[in-house]
Amino acid sequence: MKLSRRKHLAALAIAGMVLLTVVQWWSYRQVGEMLEGYPGSQVVAHYHENVSPILPALYVRSLGDSLLGYSYLPSTGEYYLLVRGREGKPDEHYRLELMGLERSYSNFLNLTSEYIALWSETGNESTFIHAMSLFRITLEVRSELEKLKRGENVTEILMKPPYPYRLFHGGNPVPGEIVVSLLLLAGAILLLSRIDVLIEMLSDFRNLALLLALIIGVSFISYGLLQGHDPLLGVESKWEDKLNFCGERAYYVHRNARVDSLLLDAVGSAEYVRVERWNGRVLSITLALLPERAEGLLGNLSEETTVLYVYSLPSWPERLEIDDALVSLVREDLLETGRLDEGAVDAVMSASLEGLERSGREFGFCANVTILEFDFGGIG
Protein backbone atom coordinates (compact mmCIF):
# COMPACT_ATOMS: atom_id res chain seq x y z
CA MET A 1 0.00 0.00 0.00
CA LYS A 2 2.85 2.38 0.83
CA LEU A 3 4.54 1.71 -2.49
CA SER A 4 1.31 2.25 -4.41
CA ARG A 5 0.71 5.58 -2.67
CA ARG A 6 4.28 6.66 -3.41
CA LYS A 7 3.79 5.80 -7.08
CA HIS A 8 0.62 7.84 -7.27
CA LEU A 9 2.23 10.84 -5.58
CA ALA A 10 5.24 10.65 -7.88
CA ALA A 11 3.01 10.36 -10.95
CA LEU A 12 0.97 13.40 -9.87
CA ALA A 13 4.14 15.42 -9.16
CA ILE A 14 5.67 14.59 -12.54
CA ALA A 15 2.41 15.26 -14.40
CA GLY A 16 2.06 18.60 -12.58
CA MET A 17 5.64 19.58 -13.42
CA VAL A 18 5.16 18.72 -17.09
CA LEU A 19 1.88 20.63 -17.25
CA LEU A 20 3.39 23.69 -15.53
CA THR A 21 6.37 23.64 -17.92
CA VAL A 22 4.06 23.56 -20.96
CA VAL A 23 1.93 26.41 -19.57
CA GLN A 24 5.06 28.48 -18.83
CA TRP A 25 6.41 27.80 -22.33
CA TRP A 26 3.19 29.10 -23.85
CA SER A 27 3.11 32.09 -21.50
CA TYR A 28 6.72 33.05 -22.28
CA ARG A 29 6.02 32.75 -25.99
CA GLN A 30 3.11 35.17 -25.58
CA VAL A 31 5.44 37.71 -23.91
CA GLY A 32 7.42 38.10 -27.14
CA GLU A 33 4.26 38.59 -29.17
CA MET A 34 2.96 41.17 -26.66
CA LEU A 35 6.19 43.20 -26.63
CA GLU A 36 6.72 43.33 -30.40
CA GLY A 37 4.57 46.44 -30.63
CA TYR A 38 6.46 48.34 -27.92
CA PRO A 39 9.44 50.60 -28.62
CA GLY A 40 12.96 49.49 -27.84
CA SER A 41 14.32 50.69 -24.50
CA GLN A 42 16.88 53.46 -24.91
CA VAL A 43 16.78 54.97 -21.42
CA VAL A 44 19.19 54.24 -18.57
CA ALA A 45 16.97 53.50 -15.57
CA HIS A 46 17.65 54.76 -12.05
CA TYR A 47 15.99 51.74 -10.39
CA HIS A 48 16.41 48.01 -10.98
CA GLU A 49 14.40 44.96 -10.04
CA ASN A 50 14.69 41.24 -10.83
CA VAL A 51 11.60 39.08 -11.29
CA SER A 52 10.82 35.54 -12.43
CA PRO A 53 7.01 35.31 -12.47
CA ILE A 54 5.39 31.89 -12.68
CA LEU A 55 3.25 33.09 -15.61
CA PRO A 56 5.27 35.80 -17.44
CA ALA A 57 2.52 36.87 -19.85
CA LEU A 58 0.14 37.69 -16.99
CA TYR A 59 2.87 39.70 -15.28
CA VAL A 60 3.64 41.76 -18.40
CA ARG A 61 -0.06 42.36 -18.96
CA SER A 62 -0.39 43.57 -15.36
CA LEU A 63 2.16 46.34 -16.02
CA GLY A 64 -0.40 48.07 -18.26
CA ASP A 65 0.33 51.64 -19.32
CA SER A 66 3.38 51.88 -17.06
CA LEU A 67 5.39 49.78 -19.56
CA LEU A 68 7.56 52.18 -21.60
CA GLY A 69 9.73 49.82 -23.64
CA TYR A 70 11.80 46.68 -23.60
CA SER A 71 14.87 44.89 -24.89
CA TYR A 72 15.63 41.18 -25.24
CA LEU A 73 18.81 39.25 -24.44
CA PRO A 74 18.90 36.29 -26.87
CA SER A 75 21.75 34.43 -25.15
CA THR A 76 19.73 33.93 -21.94
CA GLY A 77 16.14 34.56 -23.02
CA GLU A 78 15.80 37.38 -20.50
CA TYR A 79 13.73 40.54 -21.02
CA TYR A 80 14.59 44.01 -19.78
CA LEU A 81 11.35 45.90 -19.19
CA LEU A 82 11.30 49.66 -18.70
CA VAL A 83 8.42 50.82 -16.52
CA ARG A 84 7.36 54.20 -15.24
CA GLY A 85 7.89 54.74 -11.51
CA ARG A 86 10.34 53.87 -8.77
CA GLU A 87 10.38 50.15 -8.00
CA GLY A 88 13.07 47.85 -6.69
CA LYS A 89 16.41 49.30 -5.60
CA PRO A 90 18.25 52.40 -6.83
CA ASP A 91 21.23 51.61 -9.04
CA GLU A 92 24.49 52.82 -7.54
CA HIS A 93 26.10 52.97 -10.99
CA TYR A 94 23.37 55.35 -12.14
CA ARG A 95 24.02 57.68 -9.20
CA LEU A 96 27.77 57.66 -9.82
CA GLU A 97 27.35 58.25 -13.55
CA LEU A 98 24.95 61.13 -12.88
CA MET A 99 27.40 62.73 -10.43
CA GLY A 100 30.25 62.25 -12.89
CA LEU A 101 28.36 63.89 -15.76
CA GLU A 102 27.24 66.81 -13.58
CA ARG A 103 30.84 67.33 -12.49
CA SER A 104 32.13 67.08 -16.06
CA TYR A 105 29.51 69.53 -17.30
CA SER A 106 30.40 72.06 -14.62
CA ASN A 107 34.13 71.72 -15.39
CA PHE A 108 33.73 72.10 -19.16
CA LEU A 109 31.30 74.97 -18.70
CA ASN A 110 33.85 76.85 -16.61
CA LEU A 111 36.69 76.09 -19.07
CA THR A 112 34.59 77.24 -22.03
CA SER A 113 33.68 80.39 -20.16
CA GLU A 114 37.33 81.14 -19.41
CA TYR A 115 38.43 80.71 -23.03
CA ILE A 116 35.55 82.82 -24.37
CA ALA A 117 36.49 85.58 -21.91
CA LEU A 118 40.17 85.28 -22.91
CA TRP A 119 39.30 85.47 -26.62
CA SER A 120 37.13 88.53 -25.97
CA GLU A 121 40.15 90.24 -24.42
CA THR A 122 42.90 89.13 -26.81
CA GLY A 123 41.18 88.27 -30.08
CA ASN A 124 43.66 85.38 -30.47
CA GLU A 125 42.56 82.92 -33.18
CA SER A 126 43.95 79.80 -31.50
CA THR A 127 42.08 80.76 -28.31
CA PHE A 128 38.89 81.08 -30.39
CA ILE A 129 39.41 77.61 -31.89
CA HIS A 130 40.01 76.17 -28.44
CA ALA A 131 36.82 77.85 -27.17
CA MET A 132 34.88 76.32 -30.09
CA SER A 133 36.20 72.86 -29.25
CA LEU A 134 35.33 73.23 -25.58
CA PHE A 135 31.84 74.49 -26.42
CA ARG A 136 31.24 71.39 -28.56
CA ILE A 137 32.35 69.09 -25.74
CA THR A 138 30.17 70.99 -23.27
CA LEU A 139 27.17 70.45 -25.56
CA GLU A 140 27.90 66.72 -25.82
CA VAL A 141 28.23 66.33 -22.04
CA ARG A 142 25.00 68.27 -21.42
CA SER A 143 23.26 66.08 -24.01
CA GLU A 144 24.39 62.91 -22.21
CA LEU A 145 23.32 64.41 -18.89
CA GLU A 146 19.82 65.16 -20.20
CA LYS A 147 19.49 61.63 -21.59
CA LEU A 148 20.51 60.13 -18.26
CA LYS A 149 18.05 62.31 -16.35
CA ARG A 150 15.19 60.88 -18.42
CA GLY A 151 15.60 57.65 -16.46
CA GLU A 152 15.42 59.28 -13.03
CA ASN A 153 11.87 57.99 -12.37
CA VAL A 154 12.13 54.82 -14.43
CA THR A 155 12.68 51.21 -13.32
CA GLU A 156 14.38 48.52 -15.38
CA ILE A 157 12.92 45.09 -14.59
CA LEU A 158 15.01 42.07 -15.47
CA MET A 159 12.53 39.27 -16.18
CA LYS A 160 14.04 35.79 -16.27
CA PRO A 161 12.33 32.60 -17.49
CA PRO A 162 10.61 30.84 -14.56
CA TYR A 163 11.45 27.39 -13.27
CA PRO A 164 10.94 24.62 -14.33
CA TYR A 165 10.66 26.05 -17.86
CA ARG A 166 14.06 27.74 -17.48
CA LEU A 167 15.76 24.32 -17.62
CA PHE A 168 14.51 23.77 -21.16
CA HIS A 169 14.41 27.35 -22.45
CA GLY A 170 16.46 28.27 -25.51
CA GLY A 171 16.81 27.50 -29.17
CA ASN A 172 18.55 24.13 -29.16
CA PRO A 173 19.21 22.61 -25.72
CA VAL A 174 22.86 22.19 -24.83
CA PRO A 175 24.17 18.74 -23.80
CA GLY A 176 24.00 19.63 -20.10
CA GLU A 177 20.29 20.43 -20.33
CA ILE A 178 19.59 17.16 -22.14
CA VAL A 179 21.53 15.28 -19.45
CA VAL A 180 19.39 16.91 -16.74
CA SER A 181 16.22 16.04 -18.66
CA LEU A 182 17.22 12.40 -19.07
CA LEU A 183 18.24 12.14 -15.42
CA LEU A 184 14.82 13.49 -14.43
CA LEU A 185 13.20 10.90 -16.70
CA ALA A 186 15.34 8.17 -15.17
CA GLY A 187 14.31 9.36 -11.72
CA ALA A 188 10.65 9.20 -12.72
CA ILE A 189 11.08 5.62 -13.95
CA LEU A 190 12.88 4.79 -10.71
CA LEU A 191 9.94 6.01 -8.65
CA LEU A 192 7.24 4.46 -10.78
CA SER A 193 8.85 1.02 -11.25
CA ARG A 194 9.84 -1.77 -8.97
CA ILE A 195 12.04 0.12 -6.56
CA ASP A 196 13.65 -2.95 -5.04
CA VAL A 197 14.64 -4.46 -8.39
CA LEU A 198 16.12 -1.22 -9.71
CA ILE A 199 18.06 -0.57 -6.53
CA GLU A 200 19.53 -4.06 -6.67
CA MET A 201 20.51 -3.59 -10.32
CA LEU A 202 22.06 -0.16 -9.81
CA SER A 203 23.96 -1.24 -6.73
CA ASP A 204 26.35 -2.90 -9.16
CA PHE A 205 28.85 -0.18 -10.13
CA ARG A 206 29.18 -1.55 -13.66
CA ASN A 207 25.44 -1.22 -14.30
CA LEU A 208 25.42 2.31 -12.89
CA ALA A 209 28.40 3.35 -15.05
CA LEU A 210 26.73 1.83 -18.12
CA LEU A 211 23.53 3.79 -17.45
CA LEU A 212 25.40 7.09 -17.03
CA ALA A 213 27.43 6.46 -20.20
CA LEU A 214 24.21 5.71 -22.08
CA ILE A 215 22.56 8.94 -20.85
CA ILE A 216 25.57 11.11 -21.78
CA GLY A 217 25.96 9.38 -25.15
CA VAL A 218 22.31 9.86 -26.06
CA SER A 219 22.60 13.52 -24.97
CA PHE A 220 25.44 14.31 -27.37
CA ILE A 221 23.86 12.35 -30.23
CA SER A 222 20.61 14.26 -29.72
CA TYR A 223 22.52 17.54 -29.61
CA GLY A 224 24.22 16.74 -32.91
CA LEU A 225 20.94 15.78 -34.58
CA LEU A 226 19.27 18.97 -33.38
CA GLN A 227 21.93 21.12 -35.00
CA GLY A 228 21.07 19.95 -38.51
CA HIS A 229 22.23 21.81 -41.60
CA ASP A 230 22.16 25.60 -41.38
CA PRO A 231 21.18 27.13 -44.77
CA LEU A 232 22.83 30.42 -43.71
CA LEU A 233 26.28 28.85 -43.28
CA GLY A 234 27.12 29.54 -46.91
CA VAL A 235 26.69 33.32 -46.55
CA GLU A 236 30.03 35.14 -46.79
CA SER A 237 30.93 38.46 -45.18
CA LYS A 238 31.55 41.56 -47.27
CA TRP A 239 31.89 44.74 -45.21
CA GLU A 240 33.44 48.23 -45.28
CA ASP A 241 34.73 49.93 -42.14
CA LYS A 242 33.02 53.22 -43.03
CA LEU A 243 29.65 51.55 -42.39
CA ASN A 244 30.54 51.37 -38.69
CA PHE A 245 29.80 55.12 -38.53
CA CYS A 246 26.19 54.52 -39.62
CA GLY A 247 24.97 52.94 -36.40
CA GLU A 248 22.82 49.83 -36.32
CA ARG A 249 19.69 48.25 -34.90
CA ALA A 250 19.80 44.70 -33.59
CA TYR A 251 16.85 42.31 -33.41
CA TYR A 252 16.34 38.73 -32.32
CA VAL A 253 14.42 36.59 -34.81
CA HIS A 254 13.13 33.09 -34.19
CA ARG A 255 14.22 31.15 -37.24
CA ASN A 256 12.15 28.87 -39.43
CA ALA A 257 12.27 27.89 -43.11
CA ARG A 258 10.33 30.97 -44.24
CA VAL A 259 12.51 33.32 -42.17
CA ASP A 260 15.68 31.77 -43.63
CA SER A 261 14.27 32.28 -47.13
CA LEU A 262 13.53 35.97 -46.43
CA LEU A 263 17.00 36.50 -44.99
CA LEU A 264 18.69 34.79 -47.94
CA ASP A 265 16.71 37.02 -50.33
CA ALA A 266 17.81 40.08 -48.33
CA VAL A 267 21.44 38.90 -48.41
CA GLY A 268 21.18 38.67 -52.19
CA SER A 269 20.00 42.28 -52.49
CA ALA A 270 22.35 43.72 -49.84
CA GLU A 271 25.62 45.22 -51.01
CA TYR A 272 27.30 44.60 -47.66
CA VAL A 273 26.88 41.66 -45.29
CA ARG A 274 28.58 40.69 -42.01
CA VAL A 275 28.26 37.17 -40.58
CA GLU A 276 29.18 35.98 -37.08
CA ARG A 277 29.75 32.24 -36.66
CA TRP A 278 30.67 29.96 -33.79
CA ASN A 279 31.12 26.19 -33.66
CA GLY A 280 29.47 25.59 -37.02
CA ARG A 281 26.49 27.83 -36.26
CA VAL A 282 25.49 31.24 -37.59
CA LEU A 283 24.92 33.47 -34.56
CA SER A 284 24.00 36.67 -36.40
CA ILE A 285 23.81 38.33 -39.80
CA THR A 286 24.18 42.09 -40.31
CA LEU A 287 22.85 43.70 -43.50
CA ALA A 288 23.40 47.15 -44.98
CA LEU A 289 20.17 47.96 -46.84
CA LEU A 290 18.34 50.90 -48.34
CA PRO A 291 16.06 52.37 -45.64
CA GLU A 292 12.80 51.37 -47.36
CA ARG A 293 14.15 47.87 -48.05
CA ALA A 294 15.16 47.50 -44.39
CA GLU A 295 11.72 48.48 -43.06
CA GLY A 296 10.06 46.16 -45.59
CA LEU A 297 12.24 43.26 -44.43
CA LEU A 298 11.35 43.90 -40.78
CA GLY A 299 7.66 43.94 -41.67
CA ASN A 300 7.90 40.68 -43.63
CA LEU A 301 9.81 38.99 -40.82
CA SER A 302 7.24 40.13 -38.24
CA GLU A 303 4.52 38.42 -40.25
CA GLU A 304 6.41 35.11 -40.18
CA THR A 305 8.01 35.03 -36.72
CA THR A 306 8.67 36.93 -33.51
CA VAL A 307 11.03 39.89 -33.99
CA LEU A 308 12.34 41.34 -30.72
CA TYR A 309 14.40 44.48 -30.17
CA VAL A 310 17.87 43.89 -28.70
CA TYR A 311 19.76 47.21 -28.93
CA SER A 312 20.54 50.15 -31.20
CA LEU A 313 23.56 52.35 -31.83
CA PRO A 314 23.09 55.87 -33.25
CA SER A 315 24.88 56.84 -36.43
CA TRP A 316 27.65 59.43 -36.29
CA PRO A 317 25.46 62.15 -37.90
CA GLU A 318 22.77 61.44 -35.27
CA ARG A 319 25.32 61.85 -32.49
CA LEU A 320 26.29 65.22 -33.94
CA GLU A 321 22.70 66.47 -34.05
CA ILE A 322 22.14 69.07 -31.35
CA ASP A 323 18.69 70.09 -30.19
CA ASP A 324 18.02 73.86 -30.27
CA ALA A 325 16.63 73.75 -26.72
CA LEU A 326 19.86 72.15 -25.53
CA VAL A 327 21.94 74.86 -27.20
CA SER A 328 19.82 77.51 -25.47
CA LEU A 329 20.37 75.83 -22.09
CA VAL A 330 24.15 75.79 -22.48
CA ARG A 331 24.13 79.38 -23.74
CA GLU A 332 22.19 80.55 -20.69
CA ASP A 333 24.49 78.63 -18.35
CA LEU A 334 27.55 80.24 -19.96
CA LEU A 335 26.10 83.73 -19.61
CA GLU A 336 25.24 83.10 -15.96
CA THR A 337 28.52 81.39 -15.06
CA GLY A 338 31.02 83.69 -16.66
CA ARG A 339 29.09 86.97 -17.00
CA LEU A 340 30.28 87.00 -20.60
CA ASP A 341 29.46 89.28 -23.48
CA GLU A 342 26.50 87.83 -25.42
CA GLY A 343 28.13 88.65 -28.75
CA ALA A 344 31.27 86.67 -27.86
CA VAL A 345 29.23 83.67 -26.69
CA ASP A 346 27.08 83.72 -29.85
CA ALA A 347 30.15 83.97 -32.09
CA VAL A 348 31.78 80.91 -30.52
CA MET A 349 28.47 79.04 -30.46
CA SER A 350 27.71 79.71 -34.15
CA ALA A 351 31.19 78.70 -35.29
CA SER A 352 31.03 75.52 -33.22
CA LEU A 353 27.61 74.52 -34.59
CA GLU A 354 28.77 75.15 -38.16
CA GLY A 355 31.69 72.81 -37.52
CA LEU A 356 29.29 70.13 -36.28
CA GLU A 357 27.19 70.51 -39.42
CA ARG A 358 30.28 70.11 -41.65
CA SER A 359 31.29 66.98 -39.74
CA GLY A 360 27.81 65.58 -40.20
CA ARG A 361 27.93 66.17 -43.97
CA GLU A 362 31.10 64.07 -44.19
CA PHE A 363 29.00 61.07 -43.23
CA GLY A 364 26.10 61.92 -45.49
CA PHE A 365 26.27 58.45 -47.03
CA CYS A 366 24.72 57.09 -43.83
CA ALA A 367 21.41 58.73 -44.79
CA ASN A 368 21.02 56.21 -47.62
CA VAL A 369 21.69 53.06 -45.62
CA THR A 370 20.13 51.25 -42.65
CA ILE A 371 22.20 48.69 -40.77
CA LEU A 372 20.18 45.78 -39.35
CA GLU A 373 21.65 42.99 -37.25
CA PHE A 374 19.63 39.80 -36.84
CA ASP A 375 20.62 37.73 -33.84
CA PHE A 376 19.65 34.06 -33.68
CA GLY A 377 20.62 33.25 -30.12
CA GLY A 378 23.63 32.84 -27.88
CA ILE A 379 26.65 30.58 -28.07
CA GLY A 380 25.21 28.14 -25.55
Side-chain angles (χ1 to χ4, degrees):
M1 182 65 69
K2 279 187 177 180
L3 189 59
S4 177
R5 184 178 298 174
R6 184 183 296 177
K7 285 182 179 181
H8 285 114
L9 288 174
L12 286 173
I14 292 169
M17 194 70 69
V18 171
L19 180 60
L20 179 59
T21 302
V22 171
V23 171
Q24 287 178 336
W25 165 78
W26 179 251
S27 182
Y28 214 67
R29 182 176 178 178
Q30 285 184 309
V31 169
E33 296 172 357
M34 291 166 59
L35 292 176
E36 264 190 299
Y38 282 88
S41 62
Q42 299 184 31
V43 175
V44 179
H46 187 181
Y47 296 85
H48 285 262
E49 187 176 20
N50 294 342
V51 299
S52 184
I54 294 177
L55 295 176
L58 290 180
Y59 175 78
V60 172
R61 194 173 287 116
S62 71
L63 295 175
D65 295 336
S66 65
L67 183 59
L68 301 174
Y70 80 100
S71 63
Y72 179 68
L73 191 59
S75 59
T76 60
E78 298 169 345
Y79 289 94
Y80 289 92
L81 308 174
L82 279 185
V83 297
R84 190 181 292 107
R86 301 183 176 189
E87 305 291 339
K89 297 180 179 179
D91 187 355
E92 181 66 12
H93 294 292
Y94 180 94
R95 186 183 69 84
L96 293 175
E97 188 173 355
L98 182 65
M99 288 175 56
L101 282 174
E102 288 175 341
R103 192 181 302 113
S104 294
Y105 178 67
S106 177
N107 291 339
F108 280 111
L109 194 70
N110 289 330
L111 275 173
T112 306
S113 175
E114 291 175 10
Y115 271 87
I116 292 176
L118 185 60
W119 172 71
S120 298
E121 296 173 3
T122 64
N124 186 279
E125 185 177 355
S126 63
T127 304
F128 181 77
I129 293 172
H130 205 154
M132 283 172 47
S133 176
L134 286 169
F135 183 84
R136 189 180 309 174
I137 296 172
T138 305
L139 277 176
E140 293 172 0
V141 175
R142 183 58 189 255
S143 177
E144 292 300 315
L145 181 58
E146 293 300 315
K147 289 177 184 176
L148 191 64
K149 283 183 176 180
R150 288 207 295 266
E152 198 164 5
N153 294 310
V154 174
T155 301
E156 182 183 72
I157 299 174
L158 172 59
M159 187 174 73
K160 299 181 179 182
Y163 285 110
Y165 169 62
R166 193 186 301 186
L167 290 172
F168 311 100
H169 177 75
N172 292 331
V174 298
E177 292 173 336
I178 299 176
V179 168
V180 171
S181 305
L182 291 175
L183 285 174
L184 288 173
L185 181 60
I189 294 172
L190 183 67
L191 287 169
L192 296 174
S193 301
R194 293 286 303 275
I195 302 276
D196 51 348
V197 175
L198 284 173
I199 289 176
E200 183 180 351
M201 184 184 72
L202 294 176
S203 62
D204 188 332
F205 177 76
R206 289 173 298 179
N207 292 336
L208 181 60
L210 181 63
L211 178 62
L212 290 175
L214 180 63
I215 289 175
I216 294 172
V218 170
S219 301
F220 278 95
I221 291 171
S222 302
Y223 180 68
L225 291 174
L226 284 168
Q227 296 305 299
H229 172 68
D230 190 342
L232 299 180
L233 274 177
V235 178
E236 297 296 331
S237 294
K238 180 187 176 185
W239 199 255
E240 284 195 11
D241 290 340
K242 69 176 185 178
L243 294 172
N244 297 330
F245 291 100
C246 296
E248 66 182 38
R249 282 181 286 158
Y251 296 90
Y252 165 79
V253 292
H254 183 74
R255 288 178 60 183
N256 56 42
R258 178 59 181 154
V259 167
D260 286 349
S261 177
L262 288 170
L263 289 174
L264 287 172
D265 288 344
V267 167
S269 63
E271 188 174 356
Y272 298 103
V273 181
R274 187 175 63 209
V275 184
E276 183 184 358
R277 297 179 178 85
W278 185 85
N279 197 26
R281 291 175 57 193
V282 175
L283 298 183
S284 68
I285 284 184
T286 305
L287 305 173
L289 300 166
L290 293 172
E292 59 273 13
R293 180 78 177 90
E295 298 307 319
L297 176 61
L298 283 174
N300 292 335
L301 287 171
S302 294
E303 293 177 2
E304 301 294 337
T305 187
T306 302
V307 180
L308 297 173
Y309 172 85
V310 179
Y311 70 86
S312 63
L313 298 174
S315 67
W316 194 251
E318 288 173 333
R319 293 179 184 181
L320 295 176
E321 288 179 1
I322 301 295
D323 183 71
D324 290 341
L326 187 68
V327 174
S328 298
L329 278 174
V330 176
R331 181 180 183 276
E332 290 175 9
D333 288 345
L334 278 171
L335 291 172
E336 290 178 8
T337 302
R339 297 185 179 84
L340 302 170
D341 177 68
E342 287 192 34
V345 172
D346 290 341
V348 171
M349 183 179 72
S350 298
S352 184
L353 293 176
E354 287 175 8
L356 286 173
E357 289 180 8
R358 284 195 300 272
S359 298
R361 286 195 293 269
E362 293 177 9
F363 300 96
F365 59 87
C366 289
N368 300 317
V369 66
T370 296
I371 311 294
L372 295 179
E373 177 184 311
F374 295 103
D375 198 321
F376 310 126
I379 290 176

